[in-house]
Amino acid sequence: MDSFQIDEQSERAYAIRLEEVVDVSADLVQTLIEIDLQTFAESTFSPYTAAAFLKAGRVFLLRANDQIIGTCVCLRSWDRTNEATILSMGLRPGWRGQGLGQHFVQSVLDRLQERGIRSCCLLVGRENRRALKLYEEVGFEHVGESEVDAQNQDVLLLLRIQLSDASQDGAVIELPQGS
């Protein structure tokens, strides 16, 4: 996405781009925590865990000009060697409801696929209709669920999208013996 306007009345256009984090900084840790707190009812990250995910995971930023307006934190799956898990994805208020979330997720999936990831999964609250709609529009499918809090009847849905198939690219990634 090259240029984006928030609404038709706005005269300002923004250059929207995806960026993958390569260096961890205190400012970036704070930005990750800030956007997370603006997105979720409960905090996902402490400064320590945010720094750890920035260092050991794949973190993508969505920028409007030079401002970070979104973050997406991905980890490699332990169970499926060629799968990534989206741990957290959020956009700052004011940027939501404009189609940017769908663009952001699709751009992240494209980048993951370029790196050999064949599928991606995530957990989302069953009642989070807005997020479910976004992920389903991108192509995620409901493949399971788990109860998180029986008292409050909180249920998380497991969604998965197939990015590529081993038969399509002929590549087979094997784990070393004893892994």
Side-chain angles (χ1 to χ4, degrees):
M1 181 176 284
D2 297 326
S3 181
F4 176 80
Q5 286 182 266
I6 292 178
D7 57 43
E8 286 120 29
Q9 289 80 31
S10 174
E11 293 181 19
R12 184 158 184 198
Y14 296 88
I16 303 293
R17 72 180 194 283
L18 180 74
E19 176 183 308
E20 189 171 349
V21 172
V22 290
D23 294 317
V24 179
S25 70
D27 286 344
L28 198 48
V29 168
Q30 188 56 44
T31 298
L32 190 62
I33 292 169
E34 191 177 288
I35 292 175
D36 179 70
L37 287 171
Q38 293 172 345
T39 304
F40 301 104
E42 296 179 25
S43 177
T44 305
F45 305 112
S46 69
Y48 172 77
T49 57
F53 287 123
L54 284 163
K55 188 75 174 155
R58 289 278 186 239
V59 178
F60 298 91
L61 307 175
L62 189 64
R63 289 188 181 265
N65 296 342
D66 289 327
Q67 178 188 4
I68 298 171
I69 61 168
T71 59
C72 183
V73 178
C74 302
L75 299 173
R76 204 77 180 256
S77 173
W78 286 88
D79 298 332
R80 300 169 68 129
T81 59
N82 297 312
E83 181 169 83
T85 299
I86 295 178
L87 177 66
S88 172
M89 194 286 271
L91 291 173
R92 289 187 188 275
W95 294 94
R96 299 174 188 160
Q98 311 293 323
L100 284 172
Q102 189 172 348
H103 167 74
F104 189 22
V105 171
Q106 186 60 61
S107 296
V108 168
L109 294 174
D110 291 345
R111 197 68 70 88
L112 292 171
Q113 185 176 7
E114 289 170 10
R115 285 165 176 67
I117 298 296
R118 292 194 183 114
S119 62
C120 186
C121 69
L122 57 87
L123 292 169
V124 63
R126 180 172 56 192
E127 303 304 318
N128 192 343
R129 304 229 185 276
R130 196 171 189 175
L132 279 169
K133 183 178 184 233
L134 180 149
Y135 293 126
E136 288 169 352
E137 286 177 354
V138 172
F140 280 86
E141 296 176 353
H142 177 196
V143 295
E145 58 185 56
S146 58
E147 192 172 65
V148 179
D149 182 352
Q151 184 177 11
N152 294 323
Q153 298 180 339
D154 289 339
V155 174
L156 291 177
L157 302 179
L158 174 62
L159 305 181
R160 179 171 284 120
I161 186 170
Q162 196 67 34
L163 302 176
S164 66
D165 189 352
S167 64
Q168 291 175 333
D169 60 15
V172 176
I173 298 175
E174 295 182 19
L175 290 176
Q177 292 287 344
S179 293

